[in-house]
Amino acid sequence: MKINILVAEIGSTTTVVNAFDGIFNGRPKFLGQGQAPTSVLEGDVNIGLKGAIESLKENLGVDNIEYDELIATSSAAGGLRMTVHGLVYDMTVRAAKEAALGAGANIKQITAGRLRRTDIKKLKEINPNIILIAGGVDYGERDTAIDNAEKIADLDLDVPIIYAGNIENQEEIKEIFKDSKNKLYVVENVYPKIDQLNIEPTRKVIQEVFEEHIIHAPGMTKVRSMVTGPIIPTPGAVMLSSKLLKEEIGDLVTIDVGGATTDVHSVTEGSEEVNRILISPEPTAKRTVEGDLGAYVSMKNVVERIGIEELSKRLNISEEQVNKLIENHKPIPENDMEKRFVEELALEATITAVDRHAGHFRHLYGPGGKKTVAEGKDLTNVKYIVGTGGALTRLPNRVKIMKKIAESNKGNDLYPNKEAKILVDNMYIMASLGVLSKKYPESAVMLMKESLKID
């Protein structure tokens, strides 16, 4: 069977392969999907990829598959490890962090001010895939970023460096890394003026660096040789889809409860009312990743948050039976009780992740009396809540889980309201369409609307 494009999504627990046809003639069609456990532990993610292709053949009822293009997303082996080093946490460091997370990176270290010996020690232990240096508004403070760049250059690490700080430092930074092993990328300042974020140029470069430099899981070298197009981080692909979808239907938040993490992507400017009292700026497109919230790898953390006794009540079974579910937990639930168990995990992960992502109202008291301010990301203008990932596309009560977001608002949270419409990525193809959109945006939009059942 000849197929236009295969998209491989290599996750931390599952590898999914999606088949698309009609991409080249403007009549895109989703043909089917195959999946298999990701084989990081076997030392070669190719095993999982081949297993997913075999699963696809079986689902399509064919003996052989040929394809014109193979593109991929990956979050296996912890994804893209980054460290971020800026000047003031609430300004340049936070802006750099937003850019990194939006591109699909996992932030392993954040520092503000000059790097200390303990910071340098931790940086070496992390062995990041990319180092991002920021600091200083344009034509403002210069010395901190220069000092940090010199210390990082002295480490002699073979790691790409992105500089996204004060533009006055650009020539100096180039000079510092001129003879080092590091490939240097100089981009526009992520925080050029007070209260102004400029994260898109950095976000774009992070994804380009990932493609060019990162082989971040066993066997990825072989995958790279098979892939004819781009490989981008899976969360970055979901963000691309979310941004594309926002242009079509309006403000939205996309939630992905995975095996290891729960990611929340929001694309909204927020409401005028909240923006007037917002303490500090927020990006239009924001991503947060919660490494302690997942339905498989991070399952025990979520169970701990809920409590065995509470789970016993919710599932209407004994605590002993709950412990058996935990002990025998699988990447993909099979029977009804296992699905109900994962639904409770997904509910806790969803509500907690949205709470961490969203902003809140705060009341300040001073000589003039009480003043209300807003802090963090405003989701009150969101028109759609989109569920993607295994849990929120496959569980029987996925819509109920997402409806609980608005219901859990304590009154001072900047959550989506109850009128927000729930959309489900029924075909589980949102990440695949993100990477597909880099070359075929129109086809990606058409397929996205079909998966979400939007007319």
Side-chain angles (χ1 to χ4, degrees), residues 203-244:
R203 187 178 279 175
K204 187 168 180 274
V205 169
I206 290 168
Q207 291 190 342
E208 288 171 4
V209 173
F210 176 89
E211 243 184 278
E212 187 178 344
H213 291 272
I214 307 307
I215 303 299
H216 59 78
M220 282 303 289
T221 310
K222 294 179 189 174
V223 172
R224 177 70 271 181
S225 66
M226 289 173 64
V227 170
T228 59
I231 301 176
I232 68 173
T234 302
V238 175
M239 177 61 89
L240 285 174
S241 282
S242 298
K243 288 164 72 175
L244 202 59

Side-chain angles (χ1 to χ4, degrees), residues 40 43 55 64 78 86 131 168-169 199 215 301 309 313-314 344 376 400 437 455:
V40 174
S55 168
N64 187 46
I131 296 171
E168 223 181 349
N169 279 345
I199 64 178
I215 303 299
N301 295 326
E309 187 180 345
K313 286 178 191 172
R314 292 187 194 180
E344 292 300 334
K400 283 184 182 176
S437 74
D455 296 330

Side-chain angles (χ1 to χ4, degrees), residues 25-26 33-34 105 131 148-150 179 199 216 218 270 347 377 395 436:
N25 62 17
Q33 186 175 82
I131 296 171
N148 286 345
E150 287 172 340
D179 299 318
I199 64 178
H216 59 78
L347 174 62
K377 184 69 175 178
L395 290 171
L436 188 74

Side-chain angles (χ1 to χ4, degrees), residues 166-344:
N166 184 344
I167 61 169
E168 223 181 349
N169 279 345
Q170 289 182 354
E171 293 307 313
E172 188 75 18
I173 296 292
K174 287 175 187 174
E175 193 66 28
I176 289 167
F177 288 102
K178 185 175 67 175
D179 299 318
S180 74
K181 291 179 184 174
N182 313 96
K183 181 161 183 180
L184 177 67
Y185 298 80
V186 175
V187 298
E188 294 172 30
N189 195 345
V190 289
Y191 203 93
K193 295 177 184 175
I194 298 295
D195 291 341
Q196 182 184 328
L197 297 180
N198 179 38
I199 64 178
E200 288 302 328
T202 301
R203 187 178 279 175
K204 187 168 180 274
V205 169
I206 290 168
Q207 291 190 342
E208 288 171 4
V209 173
F210 176 89
E211 243 184 278
E212 187 178 344
H213 291 272
I214 307 307
I215 303 299
H216 59 78
M220 282 303 289
T221 310
K222 294 179 189 174
V223 172
R224 177 70 271 181
S225 66
M226 289 173 64
V227 170
T228 59
I231 301 176
I232 68 173
T234 302
V238 175
M239 177 61 89
L240 285 174
S241 282
S242 298
K243 288 164 72 175
L244 202 59
L245 194 58
K246 191 262 185 188
E247 296 305 312
E248 291 290 317
I249 65 173
D251 293 11
L252 58 87
V253 59
T254 303
I255 304 162
D256 181 351
V257 179
T261 68
T262 294
D263 295 355
V264 180
H265 307 76
S266 62
V267 192
T268 174
E269 288 84 9
S271 69
E272 284 184 29
E273 180 189 0
V274 172
N275 280 330
R276 280 197 295 269
I277 59 171
L278 202 60
I279 291 176
S280 57
E282 287 283 330
T284 299
K286 179 186 178 83
R287 171 186 173 239
T288 49
V289 55
E290 307 303 337
D292 61 330
L293 303 174
Y296 182 63
V297 175
S298 312
M299 174 264 296
K300 288 188 178 176
N301 295 326
V302 183
V303 167
E304 215 170 279
R305 287 186 58 84
I306 303 169
I308 301 290
E309 187 180 345
E310 179 61 23
L311 273 169
S312 171
K313 286 178 191 172
R314 292 187 194 180
L315 298 171
N316 198 25
I317 58 176
S318 68
E319 291 185 20
E320 188 182 341
Q321 287 171 301
V322 172
N323 283 316
K324 279 186 181 174
L325 281 170
I326 295 166
E327 193 180 327
N328 300 315
H329 192 44
K330 307 177 185 78
I332 300 168
E334 293 168 4
N335 60 46
D336 288 345
M337 184 51 71
E338 287 173 356
K339 287 174 185 173
R340 284 184 60 205
F341 174 57
V342 176
E343 282 175 347
E344 292 300 334

Side-chain angles (χ1 to χ4, degrees), residues 20 28-30 433 436 443-451:
F20 301 98
K29 185 181 178 185
F30 172 59
L433 296 181
L436 188 74
S443 291
V445 168
M446 290 166 72
L447 288 161
M448 216 177 298
K449 286 182 172 180
E450 186 183 346
S451 182

